[in-house]
Amino acid sequence: MVLKINNTFTRFITSGIINTLVGYFVFFICYKFIELSPAISNAISYAFGLVCSFILSATFVFSKTNQLRKRSIKFIICFFIAFMVNQLVLWFLSSSINIYFSQIFAMASYTIVFYILNKYFVFSS
């Protein structure tokens, strides 16, 4: 039986899980086997993750493979916007609630903002 995923938000979450696994795998290889520093390994894994995320979003999530150069620039801009929202939520909440709960809300805010920006700006028709 093949799982059919129709909803773009569900596909977005699925691609995020795949992307997280790819990023962690790249970090692990860079740190454990290539013996790079944690910071360099993390930076490389984020670069791979950003590329993986864009490819999955263009093909699997939104099925928009035209104008990839233009969309990739928009994607990177939206990534930074969503990340800044994430940082602001983390900063704002961490002064009033537990840091671990703050991080959960920050991650959720990033996911929602990045999805909306991708759906209505990066991969809109």
Side-chain angles (χ1 to χ4, degrees):
M1 180 173 153
V2 176
L3 177 64
K4 188 172 182 180
I5 304 174
N6 290 326
N7 182 299
T8 57
F9 188 71
T10 303
R11 290 193 308 258
F12 185 78
I13 296 300
T14 302
S15 73
I17 292 167
I18 294 167
N19 184 52
T20 299
L21 295 172
V22 167
Y24 187 79
F25 177 75
V26 170
F27 175 84
F28 181 79
I29 295 299
C30 289
Y31 182 72
K32 179 78 173 169
F33 295 108
I34 303 175
E35 299 181 352
L36 298 174
S37 72
I40 299 294
S41 298
N42 190 45
I44 292 169
S45 76
Y46 262 83
F48 269 84
L50 199 56
V51 170
C52 177
S53 181
F54 177 73
I55 291 168
L56 287 171
S57 291
T59 58
F60 174 65
V61 178
F62 299 105
S63 300
K64 304 279 184 170
T65 56
N66 61 330
Q67 302 176 343
L68 290 180
R69 181 174 294 201
K70 180 180 176 182
R71 291 184 197 278
S72 66
I73 293 166
K74 289 179 172 182
F75 186 84
I76 291 168
I77 292 167
C78 291
F79 164 79
F80 282 112
I81 292 169
F83 182 71
M84 293 311 301
V85 168
N86 169 281
Q87 291 291 84
L88 285 170
V89 169
L90 182 63
W91 172 78
F92 180 74
L93 291 178
S94 64
S95 64
S96 58
I97 65 173
N98 179 289
I99 189 69
Y100 301 109
F101 290 119
S102 300
Q103 176 65 358
I104 290 169
F105 286 111
M107 289 167 45
S109 70
Y110 168 87
T111 301
I112 292 165
V113 168
F114 199 39
Y115 173 75
I116 290 168
L117 290 172
N118 274 284
K119 182 172 177 119
Y120 296 105
F121 179 64
V122 178
F123 295 104
S124 65
S125 297

